[in-house]
Amino acid sequence: MECAKVKKPNPLLEEIRFEIVQGGTCVQILHIGAYDDEPVSFAMLDKFTRALSLIRAESCHREIYLNNANRTEKSKLKTILRYMVK
């Protein structure tokens, strides 16, 4: 991270933290499109979860962004949506 501070100074770099997240059993989907359209993908994920007789373990979810939103057309954005189940 020290290299990033030299090459691209940014006051927000001090807020970055690295941690290990215990994932456990989860379901995920690749959402392609605008962030505003994610509820459709979450509905598909919820249906899949119910079909496997699983229940959502917590209300929060994870989003993994696979594109730079500033350089990618909204309809081509790719995001992995994931939540834990039991």
Side-chain angles (χ1 to χ4, degrees), residues 18-52:
F18 296 94
E19 60 185 43
I20 296 174
V21 178
Q22 299 299 326
T25 303
C26 57
V27 292
Q28 66 183 24
I29 189 169
L30 174 63
H31 170 77
I32 300 175
Y35 301 139
D36 290 340
D37 298 333
E38 287 179 358
V40 174
S41 292
F42 274 115
M44 292 170 60
L45 196 56
D46 292 340
K47 183 178 179 181
F48 176 77
T49 300
R50 285 190 304 274
L52 294 176

Side-chain angles (χ1 to χ4, degrees), residues 6-74:
V6 173
K7 287 184 178 183
K8 301 274 186 178
N10 186 322
L12 296 177
L13 286 174
E14 296 300 324
E15 295 182 29
I16 293 176
R17 60 190 162 101
F18 296 94
E19 60 185 43
I20 296 174
V21 178
Q22 299 299 326
T25 303
C26 57
V27 292
Q28 66 183 24
I29 189 169
L30 174 63
H31 170 77
I32 300 175
Y35 301 139
D36 290 340
D37 298 333
E38 287 179 358
V40 174
S41 292
F42 274 115
M44 292 170 60
L45 196 56
D46 292 340
K47 183 178 179 181
F48 176 77
T49 300
R50 285 190 304 274
L52 294 176
S53 299
L54 298 170
I55 57 171
R56 197 167 175 163
E58 52 189 25
S59 60
C60 67
H61 67 275
R62 305 244 188 272
E63 296 187 7
I64 303 169
Y65 305 106
L66 303 177
N67 306 92
N68 181 335
N70 296 322
R71 296 182 181 171
T72 306
E73 188 178 316
K74 283 186 179 183

